[in-house]
Amino acid sequence: MKRLRAMLQIMAQVMAQLLSRALPCALLLFVTASGAGAGQFPPAVSTPSVSGPSAAAPPASGPSVGVPSGPARPVPAQSAPTLTLATTISPPLSEPGQDGMLDLIIKGAFARTGVGVSLLQLPSERGLFMADSGQVDGDGNRISGLQAAYPNLLQVPESNMTYEFTAFALRPDVNVGNWDDLRRYTVAYIIGWKIYDENVRASSTVKVATPENLFALLRAGRVDVALYYRLGGLYYARKLGLPNLRVLAPPLATREMYMYLNSRHADLVPRLAETLRGMKKDGSYERIVAPFMGR
């Protein structure tokens, strides 16, 4: 019996060792067969897409991103575009607050087309170059026919206003009635004013950047004649204290003045012309101009 018991103990030990080795192998074979041992994982269980919260999920604390929590709201309309026009004009036609006579005329015309406008004070020649090259959207006030020299500019075919291009003097012996009379004098005018570039043949010519410089030269006696437009000359006579400033008549030229737009705004050109005509017809143009004529 002792011998049989010993043999059974040995057999039990052997069976235990065999089982301890076989069980891991069986598990490994099972896992490999299921795909997990090859780096694959069972696919995630996808939940159906629903428009509302899941029944199993707790309610959210606020509205879902991108989903309005209330009734639909109207989309706000885009703001009207705003164009920038160059201007070299000083008071009283153009003021720092853009409430000068020409400022109000141009802004009124643009407002009727549904387009905003801002006027940017620039030296005359630079303003034309920037309008032609598209750096600004146009120029606010020029003589007609400039598209021959600036091919990217389109003239709005209704005038803003009428300019009287005028000679001014302080000395009583200076008399100018036409362009030829300027040959006897030293004459000053502002750089970039094309009508003066084309017509002035003076004894000596000085070109300056601003009307303040223009009339300062005249007051200092460094020039005999200053060329500007009549309304602006009267304004600077008051501003600079020149009570003896003489407005030489008749004007050297009387010209209609026009807006110009860069060609990329070609569709706006006829609309602006029509609104300017409408302002003149309904009296709103005259209501802008009249208060400035008495200044």
Side-chain angles (χ1 to χ4, degrees), residues 141-191:
N141 207 52
R142 298 284 180 167
I143 59 174
S144 64
L146 291 185
Q147 54 268 54
Y150 300 91
N152 295 316
L153 293 183
L154 300 176
Q155 179 180 322
V156 175
E158 181 66 29
S159 68
N160 296 333
M161 61 177 299
T162 304
Y163 256 26
E164 294 179 327
F165 292 94
T166 302
F168 298 88
L170 288 174
R171 288 182 11 222
D173 61 323
V174 174
N175 293 290
V176 174
N178 54 55
W179 295 112
D180 285 340
D181 289 341
L182 296 174
R183 295 179 183 275
R184 296 177 286 168
Y185 301 111
T186 299
V187 176
Y189 63 89
I190 293 176
I191 299 167

Side-chain angles (χ1 to χ4, degrees), residues 8 53 162 293:
L8 290 173
T162 304
M293 293 295 104

Side-chain angles (χ1 to χ4, degrees), residues 239-258:
K239 179 180 179 180
L240 301 177
L242 301 173
N244 298 324
L245 184 69
R246 298 173 59 222
V247 180
L248 304 182
L252 294 170
T254 300
R255 296 284 189 276
E256 299 299 313
M257 304 296 289
Y258 299 87

Side-chain angles (χ1 to χ4, degrees), residues 7-292:
M7 289 177 65
L8 290 173
Q9 289 177 351
I10 292 171
M11 289 177 64
Q13 291 175 1
V14 171
M15 289 297 295
Q17 290 177 0
L18 290 174
L19 287 173
S20 66
R21 294 176 181 177
L23 185 58
C25 293
L27 288 171
L28 180 60
L29 288 172
F30 175 78
V31 172
T32 302
S34 67
Q40 300 175 5
F41 296 91
V45 178
S46 60
T47 57
S49 176
V50 293
S51 59
S54 169
S61 58
S64 302
V65 175
V67 180
S69 58
R73 299 176 182 176
V75 178
Q78 293 183 347
S79 59
T82 298
L83 273 60
T84 299
L85 301 189
T87 179
T88 61
I89 304 304
S90 300
L93 297 187
S94 188
E95 300 278 0
Q98 299 193 0
D99 56 356
M101 187 181 92
L102 187 62
D103 298 330
L104 297 176
I105 292 170
I106 292 175
K107 288 166 68 176
F110 268 85
R112 292 191 181 199
T113 67
V115 178
V117 66
S118 176
L119 297 166
L120 178 63
Q121 191 80 29
L122 290 169
S124 183
E125 194 71 36
R126 189 190 306 170
L128 276 174
F129 173 80
M130 290 178 67
D132 186 62
S133 64
Q135 297 177 61
V136 294
D137 298 295
D139 195 288
N141 207 52
R142 298 284 180 167
I143 59 174
S144 64
L146 291 185
Q147 54 268 54
Y150 300 91
N152 295 316
L153 293 183
L154 300 176
Q155 179 180 322
V156 175
E158 181 66 29
S159 68
N160 296 333
M161 61 177 299
T162 304
Y163 256 26
E164 294 179 327
F165 292 94
T166 302
F168 298 88
L170 288 174
R171 288 182 11 222
D173 61 323
V174 174
N175 293 290
V176 174
N178 54 55
W179 295 112
D180 285 340
D181 289 341
L182 296 174
R183 295 179 183 275
R184 296 177 286 168
Y185 301 111
T186 299
V187 176
Y189 63 89
I190 293 176
I191 299 167
W193 281 47
K194 297 303 179 182
I195 192 169
Y196 293 141
D197 284 340
E198 295 167 1
N199 290 284
V200 171
R201 302 293 181 269
S203 173
S204 179
T205 302
V206 180
K207 298 181 184 182
V208 297
T210 68
E212 288 88 352
N213 292 342
L214 180 68
F215 288 98
L217 285 176
L218 188 64
R219 180 170 56 187
R222 294 178 56 187
V223 297
D224 304 315
V225 177
L227 302 179
Y228 202 43
Y229 69 101
R230 186 177 186 278
L231 189 61
L234 295 174
Y235 171 86
Y236 281 99
R238 294 188 296 271
K239 179 180 179 180
L240 301 177
L242 301 173
N244 298 324
L245 184 69
R246 298 173 59 222
V247 180
L248 304 182
L252 294 170
T254 300
R255 296 284 189 276
E256 299 299 313
M257 304 296 289
Y258 299 87
M259 279 186 281
Y260 284 80
L261 297 185
N262 186 275
S263 57
R264 67 174 179 266
H265 302 298
D267 62 319
L268 189 55
V269 169
R271 292 162 57 195
L272 280 172
E274 185 61 31
T275 58
L276 280 168
R277 294 187 195 106
M279 291 171 66
K280 293 172 183 178
K281 185 176 181 179
D282 65 21
S284 56
Y285 181 94
E286 181 60 29
R287 285 193 292 273
I288 292 173
V289 170
F292 291 89

